[in-house]
Amino acid sequence: MAPRKQLTRLKAPYLKRILLEPARVADWEKYPWHLPIFREREFQLEFTTPITIIVGENGTGKSTLLEAIGALAGYDEAGGGKGYRPVDHTAAIDKSGAALADTLRGRKRAFTDAAD
């Protein structure tokens, strides 16, 4: 099998940080912003290693956070890669991942950071 072509010269992690912008939250009582991780109305997650493990009890928002990170990065919140045919989510019961993404901001590793 031929080796995979490297798509970037950047070292992992490619996403350095995500943070919640409190001013962009319309209603702190609605899911997912009422979760304990947002209780202080601030949230920041830094990625310092190539692999990050998110652990928590059922219903704490792990999947919602992952969906939001995917949506923030430009992927469909239901999964799949960039370039896949987007899925119509207008009838979906839960679209909280995309809603959360609208209140997050991310900082990606820049090419100038490649030597880190």
Side-chain angles (χ1 to χ4, degrees):
M1 179 190 282
R4 265 180 58 185
K5 180 181 176 188
Q6 185 174 352
L7 300 176
T8 180
R9 294 179 309 183
L10 299 179
K11 294 187 332 185
Y14 307 117
L15 183 64
K16 293 178 86 170
R17 174 182 311 125
I18 58 169
L19 56 98
L20 178 71
E21 289 190 353
R24 297 183 64 93
V25 176
D27 186 353
W28 288 98
E29 300 303 315
K30 289 179 85 176
Y31 185 85
W33 301 281
H34 77 283
L35 292 170
I37 60 173
F38 304 123
R39 188 168 289 138
E40 300 297 321
R41 297 198 176 182
E42 59 181 65
F43 173 79
Q44 179 173 300
L45 180 60
E46 291 196 39
F47 301 96
T48 58
T49 60
I51 297 174
T52 300
I53 299 171
I54 298 176
V55 179
E57 297 290 328
N58 289 344
T60 58
K62 300 176 302 292
S63 295
T64 301
L65 180 60
L66 291 174
E67 291 165 0
I69 291 170
L72 185 64
Y75 292 93
D76 186 275
E77 68 262 23
K82 289 184 181 180
Y84 282 77
R85 184 172 52 93
V87 177
D88 180 10
H89 298 291
T90 55
I93 295 170
D94 182 12
K95 296 187 266 186
S96 50
L100 178 57
D102 290 340
T103 62
L104 295 176
R105 290 296 164 253
R107 178 166 180 242
K108 297 178 184 174
R109 182 175 296 276
F111 279 102
T112 57
D113 296 340
D116 286 357

